[in-house]
Amino acid sequence: ITACSGQTDLKNMRRRIATSVVVALLAVQKAICQESAPPSPAPLLPPMPDCFTDLELLYQYVEQKNPSEVVKYVICPNTIHVVGIPTAGEQCCDRGTRPLNGRANTHYYCGEDGSSSNNCTLIGGQFQYVSVVSFDFKAKPNIVLSGITFMAGDNAGVIIASPGDTTFIDCVFRVS
């Protein structure tokens, strides 16, 4: 009986090892497939509005745009946007929206004509517009901000620390 049960134990052990090997191979295959799989597509955005009242939505459009394509983003006239304070991690920002982001070939206009008389105001936060060096160190050419009022930033209204060219047209900088 002992010899038979020993053979049975050996058969069971071989089955368990074979099953474990198959499970391990499937896990490796799955990991390899996930590494070579194309990145998940960006979330679908609604059609771009004529003008933006929500700077978080504007930020999503700017982040998804092709950097070689020139895009004009219109901030709705007579709007005040409270810029928040950056927080740790992926989330931004505490007590307000993100600052405008400097990306190549991005044009921000207050109203369709980009006039400061259209009254688009960014207020508060550490800064209201930021363009910093990215990991690839590529220049950020052809950035335009037109008609925007930057007001009461804790540190500065604007921070530019990247190569490229940024043009401010008819913008207003106010301390308070």
Side-chain angles (χ1 to χ4, degrees):
I1 298 174
T2 307
C4 290
S5 74
Q7 287 177 347
T8 304
D9 288 344
L10 185 58
K11 286 181 183 178
N12 286 336
M13 185 185 308
R14 285 182 183 157
R15 252 188 235 126
R16 284 185 290 195
I17 290 171
T19 303
S20 297
V21 169
V22 170
V23 169
L25 288 173
L26 289 173
V28 169
Q29 181 183 11
K30 181 179 178 183
I32 291 170
C33 290
Q34 285 176 344
E35 284 179 11
S36 62
S40 299
L44 294 177
L45 295 171
M48 192 159 90
D50 293 334
C51 68
F52 287 87
T53 57
D54 180 355
L55 293 189
E56 287 297 321
L57 181 61
L58 172 60
Y59 178 83
Q60 291 174 27
Y61 273 94
V62 171
E63 284 298 302
Q64 289 187 19
K65 83 175 209 58
N66 179 341
S68 62
E69 179 184 332
V70 176
V71 178
K72 176 181 172 182
Y73 297 99
V74 177
I75 299 171
C76 293
N78 301 309
T79 54
I80 296 174
H81 302 278
V82 177
V83 178
I85 306 295
T87 55
E90 296 284 321
Q91 298 299 317
C92 184
C93 290
D94 189 28
R95 297 178 308 237
T97 189
R98 299 171 191 268
L100 294 178
N101 184 12
R103 290 194 40 114
N105 297 309
T106 300
H107 297 186
Y108 296 106
Y109 277 63
C110 176
E112 191 59 41
D113 62 355
S115 172
S116 61
S117 65
N118 291 326
N119 300 314
C120 300
T121 303
L122 300 177
I123 187 169
Q126 291 181 330
F127 37 83
Q128 291 107 23
Y129 170 79
V130 62
S131 180
V132 295
V133 174
S134 58
F135 292 112
D136 59 11
F137 295 101
K138 289 184 179 177
K140 297 179 178 184
N142 191 22
I143 300 170
V144 175
L145 293 99
S146 184
I148 300 169
T149 298
F150 300 91
M151 186 172 165
D154 290 347
N155 293 329
V158 170
I159 293 183
I160 300 175
S162 62
D165 59 281
T166 302
T167 304
F168 292 88
I169 303 168
D170 191 26
C171 290
V172 177
F173 293 85
R174 293 197 175 122
V175 176
S176 59

